[in-house]
Amino acid sequence: MLKSKVHVDDGDSDALDRDLRAALALEQKGEKAMAGRVYEDVIRSLPGRPLNSVLQAARVLRARRRHGQAAQAFRHALKRDPENLQAGLELGATLCDGGQLAKARAVFRQRLSLEPGAIPVMMRLGQVEASLSLPTEGIWLQRALACDVDPLDAHLRLARIRLPGPGYLDVLATVHEILRPRSYVEIGVASGSSLALARHPTRAVGVDPHPRIKRRFSVPAVVYRMKSDEFFKEVDLAEALGGASFDLGFIDGLHSFEQTLRDFVNLESRSAPTSVLLLHDCLPLDERTGSWPRTTSFWSGDSWRILPYLMEQRPELGIHVIPCWPTGLVVVTGLDASRGAPPLEARQLDRYRSLSIGAFYRLYVARISSIRNDAAAHGAFFGGLAKAAPAGRG
C-alpha cells in the first residue's frame, strides 16, 4: 500500500509530477480515499513550491474534477502573484465547475477591480451572472465590445442574448421540411451548410465565386463558381432548375446593400407567384458589424438596408421577420416577376445608405410583421404557405 507522503519543498517539479501521478494511479485502482490523502498532501506542499509548480498542480486537480482542491491551489498561486489575471480566471472557472457561482462571481468582480479593462473577465462575469439569473450579461458584453475592436466571442454571445431560440440554420431546415420545394436557389454558398439542408424532392442551385464546400448534398445540387451578377447574365436559372421557376430562394451573398438588392431584383424576375424568398443578415447587431466594408470577425454587412427600401418602394410585398440567431431571417412573399423593384438609381439609394442602425430599428423594424422564433410559430406560418403552394409541390 502506497503511503500518503509527498516530496515537499524541494523545488523539484519532477517530484510534484510523481506525487500527482501516484494519486492518479490510486484513483484508477479505485482507491479514492488514499488518492484524496495524497492530493491533500500535495496541497499542503504548495506554499513551498515555485509558482509554476503551484499552477501545474492546480490545473491537474481541476482536470481531475477535484474542484475544491484545485480552488485551494489557485488561491495559493494568487497569494504569490495577486495580479496574475490567468490564475484569477482559472480560479473563477474552477468555482463555476464546482457549482459555486456566487463565489466565482466575487472572484471575477475582484479581478475586474484590479484590471478594469480585462475583457475575458467581463465575459466570464457576464456568464456567471446569467447563470445566477441576473439580467446583466448583455451589459458586460457591451463593455467588452467597447474595450476591444473585435472580440468575436462577445459579439456571438450578445447576438444569442438578443435573438434567443433556434438559429437561422434550424429555421431553414424547418422551412425545407414544411415547404418541400421542388426547386431551390441559394446566393452565397460558403461552406455549404445551408445548401445541404435541401431534401428530396428538391432540385438545388447554388451560386458563389469562392465556395468552400465541406458538406455532402442529399439532393441533386449544382454550384456555379461565379459572381451572382455574372450568373444571372450567363445562366438560365429555369433551365438549371429543370425548366421551372424557383419555389424557395435564399440570399446570403456579398452582404452589401446594393448587391443584395440586385440579387433580389434578379431572383424576383425569375420567380412564380408562390415563390418564397428568404434574406439573411437583416437584423444587425451594431454599427460596426452592420457596416460595409467589413472591419470585424462577426459581420453581417449592410444588407439590412434592403428592408426599408422594400418597405417603401414595394409595399405590396409580404415581408415578415424571424428574429433568429445570429442576425435574423426575412421572409418575402407576393413576388411579381413582371414588375420587379424600381431601377437602382444612386440618388434614390443614398437615403438608405445614410440610414443609421438605430433609426432602422426605430422607424422600420418596429413596423415589420414578426414571426415568433419558436417551432410552433414557424410551423404555423410556413404551413400556411405550403397550403397555398401548387398541388404538384412535394
Side-chain angles (χ1 to χ4, degrees):
M1 180 71 69
L2 179 66
K3 293 183 179 181
S4 172
K5 186 174 181 178
V6 297
H7 302 273
V8 179
D9 198 20
D10 60 1
D12 183 2
S13 62
D14 291 338
L16 180 61
D17 287 340
R18 286 195 296 271
D19 298 331
L20 292 170
R21 285 198 299 270
L24 175 58
L26 287 168
E27 281 187 307
Q28 292 173 337
K29 291 178 181 179
E31 299 182 30
K32 295 183 179 180
M34 178 61 74
R37 288 194 289 272
V38 176
Y39 282 129
E40 285 297 331
D41 284 343
V42 168
I43 293 296
R44 283 192 290 271
S45 78
L46 293 181
R49 294 191 183 276
L51 176 60
N52 286 341
S53 296
V54 175
L55 288 170
Q56 174 196 355
R59 288 161 184 156
V60 169
L61 289 163
R62 184 184 176 197
R64 298 304 304 158
R65 299 183 180 277
R66 303 191 73 90
H67 303 128
Q69 291 168 326
Q72 285 180 272
F74 281 120
R75 290 189 190 279
H76 279 302
L78 287 168
K79 286 180 182 178
R80 302 277 190 86
D81 184 4
E83 296 184 2
N84 190 313
L85 177 63
Q86 185 59 35
L89 278 169
E90 291 185 80
L91 171 58
T94 300
L95 292 168
C96 289
D97 294 342
Q100 299 187 64
L101 298 180
K103 289 185 178 180
R105 179 178 182 238
V107 167
F108 289 134
R109 281 187 169 275
Q110 192 269 342
R111 303 314 301 174
L112 205 56
S113 70
L114 294 175
E115 193 170 344
I119 292 173
V121 179
M122 294 180 196
M123 296 183 64
R124 291 308 301 261
L125 180 56
Q127 283 182 308
V128 169
E129 293 192 348
S131 299
L132 290 168
S133 300
L134 299 173
T136 49
E137 183 179 12
I139 294 174
W140 291 115
L141 291 173
Q142 288 175 332
R143 290 188 183 182
L145 289 169
C147 294
D148 194 329
V149 174
D150 192 22
L152 176 60
D153 288 346
H155 280 125
L156 290 170
R157 283 175 46 201
L158 188 57
R160 282 284 187 195
I161 293 172
R162 293 187 177 179
L163 300 174
Y168 85 99
L169 288 175
D170 296 320
V171 178
L172 276 173
T174 298
V175 173
H176 278 282
E177 181 180 356
I178 294 175
L179 294 185
R180 300 186 70 80
R182 296 165 301 184
S183 51
Y184 172 62
V185 58
E186 180 173 296
I187 307 300
V189 174
S191 67
S193 297
S194 49
L195 191 60
L197 298 174
R199 53 197 298 169
H200 181 76
T202 304
R203 181 165 181 165
V205 164
V207 182
D208 194 309
H210 305 291
R212 305 176 304 281
I213 298 172
K214 302 177 181 178
R215 304 293 183 92
R216 290 185 177 181
F217 304 135
S218 59
V219 301
V222 178
V223 176
Y224 290 82
R225 296 173 178 266
M226 55 202 311
K227 295 179 179 180
S228 57
D229 288 342
E230 296 172 357
F231 171 81
F232 288 114
K233 288 179 181 178
E234 300 175 14
V235 178
D236 185 326
L237 178 59
E239 183 177 333
L241 291 172
S245 57
F246 70 91
D247 288 335
L248 178 65
F250 179 43
I251 297 177
D252 189 21
L254 192 58
H255 295 187
S256 76
F257 168 41
E258 289 86 348
Q259 186 61 57
T260 301
L261 188 50
R262 285 200 298 272
D263 290 339
F264 179 91
V265 171
N266 281 321
L267 279 175
E268 184 177 30
S269 69
R270 294 157 174 83
S271 68
T274 55
S275 295
V276 176
L277 189 53
L278 306 177
L279 313 176
H280 194 211
D281 297 313
C282 287
L283 292 180
L285 186 62
D286 55 32
E287 293 286 351
R288 283 187 297 177
T289 61
S291 64
W292 179 271
R294 183 173 191 163
T295 60
T296 55
S297 298
F298 179 96
W299 183 65
S300 58
D302 73 342
S303 49
W304 54 270
R305 299 183 191 278
I306 192 175
L307 267 182
Y309 179 89
L310 293 177
M311 291 172 70
E312 293 182 347
Q313 303 298 326
R314 298 292 306 282
E316 77 281 5
L317 292 171
I319 301 176
H320 300 77
V321 64
I322 304 176
C324 57
W325 184 86
T327 50
L329 275 178
V330 169
V331 186
V332 183
T333 58
L335 300 172
D336 184 351
S338 66
R339 175 172 177 176
L344 308 183
E345 298 177 0
R347 287 182 298 176
Q348 188 181 30
L349 298 180
D350 281 345
R351 60 184 296 248
Y352 300 105
R353 292 193 187 101
S354 63
L355 187 67
S356 71
I357 286 179
F360 165 67
Y361 276 102
R362 185 175 65 255
L363 301 176
Y364 295 96
V365 174
R367 296 193 286 116
I368 300 174
S369 175
S370 179
I371 302 169
R372 194 175 65 253
N373 189 31
D374 60 45
H378 301 161
F381 179 82
F382 290 105
L385 294 182
K387 290 180 180 178
R393 179 182 294 183

